[in-house]
Amino acid sequence: MLKILVPLFASAVLAANVYAADPVTIKFSHVVAENTPKGQAALKFKELAEKKLPDLVKIEVFPNSQLFSDGKEMEALLLGDVQIIAPSLSKFDRFSKQVQVFDLPFIFKDPEAVDRFQSSADGQALLKSMEKKGILGLAYWHNGMKQLSANKPILLPDSVKGLKFRIQPSAALEAEIKALGASPQKMAFSEVYQALQTGVVDGQQNAWSNIYSKKFYEAQNTILETNHGVVDYMVVVNPAFWNKLQPNVRDGLNSAMSEATTYGNALASIKNMEARSKIVAANKAKVVALNKEQLGPLEGKNAASVEAI
Ligand code: LMR
């Protein structure tokens, strides 16, 4: 009798354990405010993933560099201390020169052109181009086109000469700013506001939603509406973590990511236009729209950036 009971008891315990297994905790760290395209898309991913995979996953979102700031977040992903991050496409310099195609000035005239490239075979291939280095792209998320600001009245090209501009850690962006006769200063996103306030740097470039949500406009005199590049993101995981997940969990997370991507990308232009309107209404930094001739000098700097990558 005992011979029958023991295996039955063992399988009952096993079944109970399987059903009682703790949910997989997935930490999602990013560096921007919640009320931005990336901040909202991350929260939508959490909502959808936990709905699709009840009791199987727990998504913890950490905005505003709360868990890891720039640079640290990539190391944390490689070490398994965080499971999902969504760095700007300008932050993969150490892993891929190809991804810096997004940093070339004026290579994309608007977010629609960025979207077409990201959806293309070449764009999709970039998502997997760093997999052997421990970085697997799940999706691209949009923010918006970049504007150039400084703590004094500026126009292109002469009045930016000699100024210090904060940039993201990209060789292409470094070359772009140097080609304008200005000085590029690589710096973590969380340090930019104070650096602008104290004059450590004179200016910066970013999408309207970041310029507004981090109050950069309060420390700037002029914002040139250049639309000269894009701030977009690659949502990435460590393949060592990702490939160990149960197939049904991975499928559910992919489905949630796809829906969150559609949601966030639809929100991006709205959030950026709202941010631009609020900056103009605040009447602190002067927003200057540029015409073709005025944009010429920056447009002509493409070659230097192409050389850099
Ligand atoms: C920056 O560092 O300027 C941006 O990448 C921040 C962000 O993630 O939007």
Side-chain angles (χ1 to χ4, degrees):
M1 187 59 167
L2 200 57
K3 277 195 182 128
I4 297 171
L5 283 180
V6 168
L8 276 179
F9 176 72
S11 54
V13 168
L14 183 67
N17 278 337
V18 165
Y19 288 112
D22 291 338
V24 175
T25 297
I26 295 174
K27 292 190 178 113
F28 188 153
S29 172
H30 68 76
V31 299
V32 295
E34 280 193 347
N35 188 23
T36 59
K38 172 159 66 173
Q40 290 300 302
L43 292 175
K44 179 59 74 174
F45 171 71
K46 167 183 169 64
E47 173 200 321
L48 293 168
E50 292 177 346
K51 193 183 291 178
K52 291 173 186 288
L53 299 164
D55 304 325
L56 292 175
V57 299
K58 179 168 176 262
I59 314 290
E60 294 176 351
V61 178
F62 299 90
N64 289 309
S65 305
Q66 278 171 11
L67 193 62
F68 296 106
S69 69
D70 283 345
K72 304 265 189 316
E73 60 179 13
M74 210 73 92
E75 291 313 315
L77 188 81
L78 295 172
L79 293 171
D81 296 335
V82 70
Q83 284 68 47
I84 302 181
I85 61 176
S88 152
L89 295 167
S90 306
K91 295 181 179 172
F92 292 91
D93 188 31
R94 282 171 41 209
F95 302 94
S96 159
K97 290 297 179 194
Q98 296 166 305
V99 175
Q100 285 183 51
V101 66
F102 291 98
D103 283 339
L104 299 179
F106 296 104
I107 193 156
F108 300 104
K109 67 181 173 54
D110 53 33
E112 291 69 29
V114 178
D115 204 61
R116 284 194 297 275
F117 174 70
Q118 290 174 346
S119 311
S120 72
D122 288 341
Q124 290 299 302
L126 279 182
L127 290 173
K128 300 200 179 336
S129 63
M130 300 174 281
E131 189 167 1
K132 289 192 170 59
K133 297 176 182 174
I135 311 265
L136 173 61
L138 298 184
Y140 290 106
W141 282 359
H142 290 330
N143 188 342
M145 303 311 282
K146 280 188 294 195
Q147 320 306 332
L148 188 71
S149 69
N151 56 8
K152 54 196 66 169
I154 51 169
L155 259 183
L156 290 174
D158 300 324
S159 52
V160 295
K161 283 189 172 44
L163 296 185
K164 292 176 287 186
F165 284 93
R166 179 267 174 175
I167 61 166
Q168 301 179 69
S170 149
L173 296 182
E174 197 169 11
E176 172 192 83
I177 295 298
K178 281 182 178 169
L180 286 173
S183 164
Q185 308 283 319
K186 292 179 183 178
M187 185 183 294
F189 184 60
S190 56
E191 297 164 13
V192 177
Y193 179 76
Q194 190 176 3
L196 291 171
Q197 281 282 48
T198 56
V200 165
V201 292
D202 301 301
Q204 62 83 48
Q205 49 176 318
N206 225 304
W208 290 115
S209 63
N210 283 339
I211 296 171
Y212 179 71
S213 59
K214 290 300 180 184
K215 301 187 187 309
F216 297 163
Y217 67 98
E218 288 183 351
Q220 299 285 258
N221 171 285
T222 300
I223 304 173
L224 295 183
E225 192 159 29
T226 50
N227 294 311
H228 64 281
V230 65
V231 176
D232 259 22
Y233 310 108
M234 190 185 291
V235 188
V236 295
V237 293
N238 183 329
F241 153 74
W242 188 250
N243 296 331
K244 271 203 308 241
L245 291 170
Q246 292 293 327
N248 64 313
V249 172
R250 204 165 38 241
D251 291 347
L253 292 174
N254 268 323
S255 171
M257 185 56 70
S258 173
E259 290 178 38
T261 299
T262 303
Y263 171 84
N265 286 354
L267 205 55
S269 51
I270 298 164
K271 284 286 175 197
N272 278 291
M273 284 304 101
E274 280 172 1
R276 182 187 186 282
S277 304
K278 288 173 184 170
I279 289 169
V280 170
N283 202 21
K284 292 203 170 151
K286 183 166 173 257
V287 174
V288 176
L290 297 181
N291 59 39
K292 212 79 179 104
E293 293 66 52
Q294 290 167 318
L295 279 173
L298 195 52
E299 221 157 0
K301 300 309 169 196
N302 224 333
S305 296
V306 171
E307 270 305 301
I309 60 173

